[in-house]
Amino acid sequence: MSVRGWIGALLTVALLVLVLPPSPSGAGSQVGAASAHALGGGDTSPVLRTPRARLDAAVRCSRLANRSNPRPTVLLVHGTASAPEEVWGWAFERQLTADGYGWCDVRLPKRALGDFTVAAEYAVHAARVAHRRSGRKVALVGHSQGGAMVLWVAKFWPDVARHASDVVPIAGPLRGTTVANGLCALRRCAPVAWQMSRGGHTMRALERAPLPKGLAVTSIATRLDELITPQPSASSGRGISTILVQDVCPGHVAEHALLSSDPVAYALMIDATSHRGTARAARVGKRVCSRAVLPKADLVASLSFAPITVSFTTGLLNPLTWTDREPALPPYARRYGA
């Protein structure tokens, strides 16, 4: 089996637990409370209700995320049932460091298995921290649920949008996913499954809320996504440029989990951050099509993805966590989700 096939088998087996049953290199220190205290929302941005100490503790930035680095800092937001080191630590963060980019990541509460709108506050705070540390606009990049989240925080927090150079959802359910609808078919499911369902008020609010003027949003997706369905509709939206990795490399094999370590997805992300506006498939060199994994990926560290299997099972498929309705939207989003 090829290297890509080996990784794909590992990650796909882990993630199919959801479908079948209806420390990284270059990291710096935790963000201190003193530096975060000065970060404000301003204008009409919703007030964060989560205690500042919890928000501070959830953010980690690399040493290259500083004001002397001319490259933009990238904020990485993980998805459902995962943690930043499991999704980003073994591939994207290592490659960004090698390529001279600073990065920050954020640890969402309850492994992103709780209320989506509560977890979004952590992403807002992390975006503000990344902006303050770098002194320039930040690229907001999210995988899976994290892809929907970076778009959510850019739409509802004007200061986050103003300080974002790009928003790049990767395998993001920008219109929800029918997989979540399947989990909620009996009208009882995990709260976050309700929120990721197509037609639910969370996804309606995400789609209907206006895109901030001038904000470049590049959605990176794959035709082979088994969790965010249907494609490419699920990862599309008004004013958003959606690019399939197969648009760059026809026949490219990458499913949902692999996009968080995929060379083509990474190249499209870098293209977006390196140019005004959204990424363009035509600008990505075809050499990337021959790569199985990112050059700096740590295949041994990729085994850290394994705990996500347990998290999916206990967090999404445990009836004790299910509710019979979707969590209420916060006041700032209600008029869009009605």
Side-chain angles (χ1 to χ4, degrees):
M1 181 180 289
S2 66
V3 172
R4 172 167 280 280
W6 181 82
I7 296 176
L10 172 67
L11 303 190
T12 301
V13 167
L15 285 178
L16 283 178
V17 172
L18 172 63
V19 179
L20 293 178
S23 283
S25 174
S29 61
Q30 297 275 1
V31 176
S35 66
H37 182 72
L39 301 173
D43 46 56
T44 58
S45 293
V47 174
L48 303 185
R49 302 298 182 183
T50 304
R52 180 63 60 85
R54 292 182 188 175
L55 298 176
D56 286 340
V59 185
R60 177 182 59 168
C61 293
S62 73
R63 295 180 181 89
L64 290 177
N66 60 61
R67 291 173 177 265
S68 64
N69 187 349
R71 297 183 183 274
T73 290
V74 178
L75 173 66
L76 298 164
V77 183
H78 66 83
T80 308
S82 61
E85 64 274 11
E86 297 163 2
V87 174
W88 304 115
W90 62 278
F92 266 42
E93 287 179 351
R94 292 174 59 87
Q95 193 65 52
L96 284 166
T97 298
D99 292 341
Y101 288 84
W103 54 262
C104 296
D105 62 28
V106 57
R107 187 177 302 276
L108 301 178
K110 301 180 181 179
R111 295 179 68 90
L113 285 161
D115 189 319
F116 172 84
T117 64
V118 173
E121 295 196 359
Y122 288 72
V124 169
H125 183 73
R128 292 171 176 169
V129 169
H131 170 65
R132 180 184 172 95
R133 286 180 65 105
S134 66
R136 56 178 53 83
K137 290 189 174 185
V138 176
L140 308 180
V141 179
H143 177 254
S144 193
Q145 182 192 147
M149 190 168 291
V150 292
L151 184 58
W152 181 277
V153 302
K155 283 192 170 187
F156 289 111
W157 275 265
D159 70 298
V160 172
R162 195 167 55 247
H163 297 148
S165 62
D166 295 272
V167 175
V168 185
I170 300 176
L174 307 187
R175 288 176 170 164
T177 170
T178 56
V179 170
N181 291 81
L183 289 172
C184 300
L186 298 180
R187 309 306 298 171
R188 282 189 62 82
C189 60
V192 75
W194 281 114
Q195 292 174 310
M196 294 298 107
S197 297
R198 288 174 71 90
H201 57 237
T202 303
M203 288 296 102
R204 283 201 304 270
L206 178 61
E207 185 172 5
R208 293 174 180 175
L211 197 63
K213 186 177 180 180
L215 184 65
V217 182
T218 301
S219 177
I220 301 170
T222 174
R223 293 189 186 280
L224 304 180
D225 199 319
E226 75 281 14
L227 293 184
I228 308 304
T229 57
Q231 285 293 343
S233 170
S235 295
S236 301
R238 288 173 293 180
I240 296 170
S241 175
T242 300
I243 304 176
L244 297 168
V245 291
Q246 289 82 12
D247 294 337
V248 178
C249 305
H252 186 65
V253 178
E255 49 70 74
H256 181 80
L258 278 178
L259 280 196
S260 66
S261 60
D262 184 68
V264 182
Y266 180 89
L268 286 167
M269 177 195 71
I270 294 298
D271 184 77
T273 64
S274 303
H275 299 85
R276 290 181 61 87
T278 59
R280 290 176 53 191
R283 285 196 297 249
V284 176
K286 296 299 183 182
R287 288 188 303 174
V288 72
C289 300
S290 63
R291 294 174 180 165
V293 293
L294 288 167
K296 296 300 180 180
D298 184 340
L299 301 185
V300 174
S302 72
L303 294 172
S304 66
F305 198 91
I308 296 177
T309 305
V310 176
S311 294
F312 267 119
T313 303
T314 59
L316 292 177
L317 303 181
N318 181 358
L320 296 178
T321 68
W322 294 354
T323 63
D324 59 4
R325 67 192 65 179
E326 185 173 353
L329 283 172
Y332 65 81
R334 284 176 189 164
R335 66 187 176 118
Y336 297 109

